[in-house]
Amino acid sequence: MTVAVAHLRDVIKSTSCAFSAQATIENYDQPLQGGTYSAKLIADGPGEFTVQADLVFSLPGKTLVTVDVSDPSTRASASIKFYVDTKTTETPLPTTPWGLVTGPDGNLWVGVDSPSAGVDRVTPQGIVTHFSTGLAGHLAIGSDNNVWFTLSRGIGRLTTDGVFTQFPMNRAESQAWAIAAGPDDNLWLVLNDATASQAASIGRLTPASGAIQEFSTPTATSFPEGICAGPDGALWFTEYFAGNIGRVTTAGAFTEFRILTPNSKPVDIAVGPDQNLWFTEWATGKIGRITPAGKVTEFSAAPIGGNLNHLGVGPGGAIWFTTYGTSYVGSIDAQGTVTAYPLLSGAWADSIAAGPDNAVWYTAQQANSQTPGGWLARLMP
């Protein structure tokens, strides 16, 4: 079930918070089974209320709210019916969610951590099926229509029916940080050695066998973090420590491009609707854009704040991104205009992606990520 929050003002012209109230919420566009769901009304101040209600996960658009309020001091009462646009819903999860991808089966696939590490399959209606695989960090859909993901020591594959296969890394010290489907029907990985040298490479994984071929990055300790297939048939990736955006052909030929702001620490990267590459900068609070020819432009995301983390393309072609340290997700258009959206839970968002229902979905964690649990959220722009 989902906690939906709507702020209701001027429901009753009360001069104090000494009242009792009941609220019911109904789905107006598409009646739900049972029709009405219980809600609790919380006083925010005179004449201001917050409704919290258990709703079906796929709650769309307008919602009919009925509020019955009485003031015991004056015996005044009121019953108000009106509609609110519920744009964001958050579903609590018992595990800590990380990576997120929309599957070919029309479901959301989520990498989750403690207390039960694995992958959750979540339908748009909120039905969760858990598969124990070990901690799945970053997820991608392969050319074989399976869900592929990084593990602490290997790469995992899940069929949409839940059949799990694990593939080892070439070397015990090698760790995969991100994974993406390539234009050559292979999976591509960013790899960093868990040693003092932190040697970095880009890996190409053949889906049929799980065999990985590694290509060392030109900057040995660049620490690549995010990767995606570009519009030019190459793979593009971020270099966190080097402050670069990298490009590698499917044959393993590299080019590195310097980001304008020093020590920017780029994290994630994705192709925008303008056929340019967009990326987040952890240390600067900026969103970057690089053309396939290598021209870099940076945009401030100051309205959001925090450390910019993951990003993805949402409905309508906007670039959506998450932050670490503030309770917002944001979108940016091709002109660099940033819009902020608050998280209902007050948590921090991690991964973000377009869902199967023309909405934006994101994973959110407790502000203290050491505390198990989190949310899978749906936002209708």
Side-chain angles (χ1 to χ4, degrees), residues 151-234:
L151 295 166
S152 58
R153 287 292 186 271
I155 300 297
R157 182 185 68 197
L158 266 177
T159 68
T160 54
D161 293 328
V163 178
F164 171 56
T165 307
Q166 182 171 348
F167 301 95
M169 306 303 294
N170 291 345
R171 298 171 292 109
E173 62 271 21
S174 182
Q175 291 184 332
W177 283 73
I179 186 169
D184 56 353
D185 292 338
N186 293 314
L187 280 303
W188 288 76
L189 319 167
V190 290
L191 305 172
N192 295 290
D193 282 5
T195 62
S197 69
Q198 293 186 326
S201 62
I202 302 298
R204 183 179 62 206
L205 183 150
T206 304
S209 63
I212 299 173
Q213 182 177 1
E214 297 184 35
F215 304 95
S216 296
T217 59
T219 304
T221 58
S222 58
F223 206 89
E225 278 220 30
I227 189 168
C228 73
D232 56 352

Side-chain angles (χ1 to χ4, degrees), residues 275-294:
Q275 298 303 294
N276 293 315
L277 288 302
W278 292 73
F279 56 92
T280 51
E281 298 180 14
W282 178 269
T284 66
K286 296 178 181 179
I287 299 290
R289 181 183 67 202
I290 183 170
T291 69

Side-chain angles (χ1 to χ4, degrees), residues 62-73:
K62 287 184 177 179
T63 301
L64 175 63
V65 178
T66 302
V67 180
D68 297 303
V69 183
S70 61
D71 186 340
S73 63

Side-chain angles (χ1 to χ4, degrees), residues 50-207:
T50 297
V51 172
Q52 292 183 329
D54 289 333
L55 302 174
V56 168
F57 196 82
S58 58
L59 175 71
K62 287 184 177 179
T63 301
L64 175 63
V65 178
T66 302
V67 180
D68 297 303
V69 183
S70 61
D71 186 340
S73 63
T74 62
R75 296 186 179 181
S77 63
S79 180
I80 307 294
K81 292 180 182 286
F82 54 93
Y83 300 108
V84 295
D85 287 325
T86 308
K87 292 189 174 182
T88 303
T89 55
E90 294 182 344
T91 291
L93 298 175
T95 52
T96 302
W98 294 94
L100 171 68
V101 71
T102 298
D105 57 350
N107 295 316
L108 285 302
W109 293 77
V110 186
V112 296
D113 198 352
S114 60
S116 180
V119 176
D120 283 353
R121 180 182 64 204
V122 185
T123 70
Q125 293 75 36
I127 300 172
V128 180
T129 304
H130 179 74
F131 303 100
S132 296
T133 63
L135 174 58
H138 194 269
L139 296 85
I141 303 302
S143 60
D144 56 359
N145 283 331
N146 291 318
V147 182
W148 292 78
F149 46 94
T150 61
L151 295 166
S152 58
R153 287 292 186 271
I155 300 297
R157 182 185 68 197
L158 266 177
T159 68
T160 54
D161 293 328
V163 178
F164 171 56
T165 307
Q166 182 171 348
F167 301 95
M169 306 303 294
N170 291 345
R171 298 171 292 109
E173 62 271 21
S174 182
Q175 291 184 332
W177 283 73
I179 186 169
D184 56 353
D185 292 338
N186 293 314
L187 280 303
W188 288 76
L189 319 167
V190 290
L191 305 172
N192 295 290
D193 282 5
T195 62
S197 69
Q198 293 186 326
S201 62
I202 302 298
R204 183 179 62 206
L205 183 150
T206 304

Side-chain angles (χ1 to χ4, degrees), residues 240-244 258-266 281-284:
Y240 183 83
F241 286 151
N244 295 331
R258 175 67 64 179
I259 295 172
L260 301 177
T261 304
N263 303 313
S264 57
K265 293 184 170 57
E281 298 180 14
W282 178 269
T284 66

Side-chain angles (χ1 to χ4, degrees), residues 304-321:
I304 304 293
N307 302 110
L308 304 192
N309 199 4
H310 293 292
L311 83 173
V313 180
I319 303 295
W320 289 76
F321 59 92

